[in-house]
Amino acid sequence: MACRHKLRQNLQRVKREQRTSSDDAVVQGTTIPQSSGADARCISGLRLKLDDVCRALKVIKDALADLEDIRNTVSTLRETVKTEMKRVREESAAIAQRILLKVDKIHHYLTCESGPAKDQPRSSKFEWRVENFSKLKEQMLGGKAKYFYNDNFYVGSHGYKMHLGATLADNSKGKVCLIVYTHITRNPYDRTLQWPYRRRSTFVVVDQKTNCHHKVAEMVPQELGRKQKHCFQRIKSGPNEGIGFTALISLEDSEKAYLMKDSLIVHFTTCDV
């Protein structure tokens, strides 16, 4: 009987210990209350909401970064547009200025060609017809000749004695171009003329096919630098150094529109400034 009583006590003690262990969990000497099912569901829901908030914050952060990139791009584009507009305005102004100068030169040429009016300064015009141009071109390109000239002529009945010259040379772009220039030579009337030579001079390569696209270049001695002054002084011996325009017209262009029947026409017009 005593043994049965002792066994019953041991079983009761084990059951009490099991109930106690099911109510409390012992971890590293600290008792942690176990959560109920409702608490676990609440915590799980909070975790899900926290995850949603974190994802939303990440989306907002990425959107702000994209917005900053867009702002930087717009700022760069704005500066680029400003720079390009400034460049276009400057180029347009330069082109307009060149067009006005070209129109003025053509107007001067046409005015001199049609004859001076009573209230305009007296002008003189000389026409140089370069015959056998293909032969001259072949000689110069082959090194047999360097220049070709026209006969002397007078600017006015008792004016300056001059002649024109031309040659072929490469320009900065590697194209062969026609260079036209003029020389002032000695003549019996030099002592009665005004020195240095001050007349406005115009070179014109005539468009023989359409008569519309003449190549015009104008020279005003007073507007040239000191290095060219000696070209317009009174001659002491021999002709003065020639002065004119390099790359007035490319050889390719001259053969397309300005050459007819193997002849090239150059007009040289002078007019009092």
Side-chain angles (χ1 to χ4, degrees):
M1 293 294 290
C3 291
R4 290 180 179 177
H5 179 72
K6 189 174 182 179
L7 180 60
R8 188 180 294 111
Q9 288 179 345
N10 290 335
L11 289 173
Q12 290 176 353
R13 188 177 69 252
V14 170
K15 289 181 179 181
R16 285 197 301 270
E17 290 177 355
Q18 288 178 349
R19 284 197 299 270
T20 303
S21 62
S22 64
D23 292 336
D24 298 325
V26 179
V27 180
Q28 295 181 354
T30 303
T31 302
I32 301 176
Q34 288 188 340
S35 301
S36 65
D39 292 338
R41 287 193 296 272
C42 181
I43 292 173
S44 177
L46 289 174
R47 286 178 177 174
L48 292 175
K49 290 181 179 180
L50 183 60
D51 291 341
D52 292 339
V53 171
C54 290
R55 283 193 293 270
L57 289 175
K58 186 177 184 305
V59 171
I60 293 172
K61 182 180 178 181
D62 294 341
L64 289 174
D66 292 340
L67 180 60
E68 186 65 24
D69 291 341
I70 292 172
R71 286 178 177 174
N72 293 335
T73 302
V74 170
S75 178
T76 302
L77 288 175
R78 186 182 292 113
E79 293 300 322
T80 302
V81 169
K82 286 182 180 179
T83 302
E84 287 299 312
M85 289 182 65
K86 181 180 179 182
R87 182 183 63 80
V88 169
R89 285 195 297 267
E90 291 175 350
E91 290 182 354
S92 298
I95 291 172
Q97 184 65 24
R98 289 197 295 269
I99 291 174
L100 289 175
L101 290 174
K102 190 75 172 179
V103 170
D104 182 64
K105 290 178 181 179
I106 293 174
H107 178 265
H108 167 70
Y109 166 69
L110 294 176
T111 301
C112 293
E113 186 179 46
S114 61
K118 292 182 179 180
D119 58 345
Q120 291 181 338
R122 185 168 59 89
S123 65
S124 298
K125 178 183 173 183
F126 176 80
E127 180 178 286
W128 180 21
R129 184 177 293 272
V130 183
E131 306 283 354
N132 299 319
F133 184 79
S134 58
K135 183 178 180 180
L136 293 171
K137 178 187 71 174
E138 183 180 351
Q139 290 176 348
M140 285 187 292
L141 294 179
K144 295 181 180 180
K146 293 184 178 181
Y147 311 97
F148 56 95
Y149 303 93
N150 74 311
D151 295 330
N152 292 328
F153 60 91
Y154 285 91
V155 177
S157 57
H158 296 83
Y160 301 93
K161 186 179 180 181
M162 311 177 79
H163 69 259
L164 301 178
T167 186
L168 298 176
D170 292 341
N171 65 2
S172 58
K173 297 181 180 180
K175 287 187 176 182
V176 179
C177 293
L178 178 69
I179 300 174
V180 181
Y181 51 90
T182 183
H183 288 275
I184 301 175
T185 62
R186 295 180 65 182
N187 83 88
Y189 310 112
D190 283 349
R191 60 186 178 84
T192 65
L193 300 174
Q194 182 182 9
W195 297 98
Y197 177 88
R198 296 177 179 274
R199 295 174 67 86
R200 184 190 301 269
S201 302
T202 306
F203 297 85
V204 179
V205 181
V206 178
D207 176 7
Q208 300 187 70
K209 293 188 178 179
T210 65
N211 198 34
C212 296
H213 304 290
H214 307 303
K215 292 292 184 179
V216 182
E218 189 177 69
M219 176 179 66
V220 180
Q222 295 89 320
E223 297 177 359
L224 299 178
R226 293 183 178 180
K227 292 183 179 180
Q228 286 78 31
K229 276 189 173 182
H230 65 282
C231 300
F232 306 104
Q233 300 297 330
R234 183 176 177 180
I235 304 92
K236 295 181 179 180
S237 61
N240 276 358
E241 182 180 350
I243 186 167
F245 293 90
T246 61
L248 182 59
I249 183 175
S250 70
L251 188 60
E252 181 181 357
D253 289 341
S254 67
E255 293 175 346
K256 286 181 179 179
Y258 301 89
L259 195 64
M260 183 174 288
K261 295 181 180 180
D262 204 24
S263 295
L264 192 71
I265 298 177
V266 179
H267 287 171
F268 179 73
T269 305
T270 68
C271 187
D272 290 338
V273 178

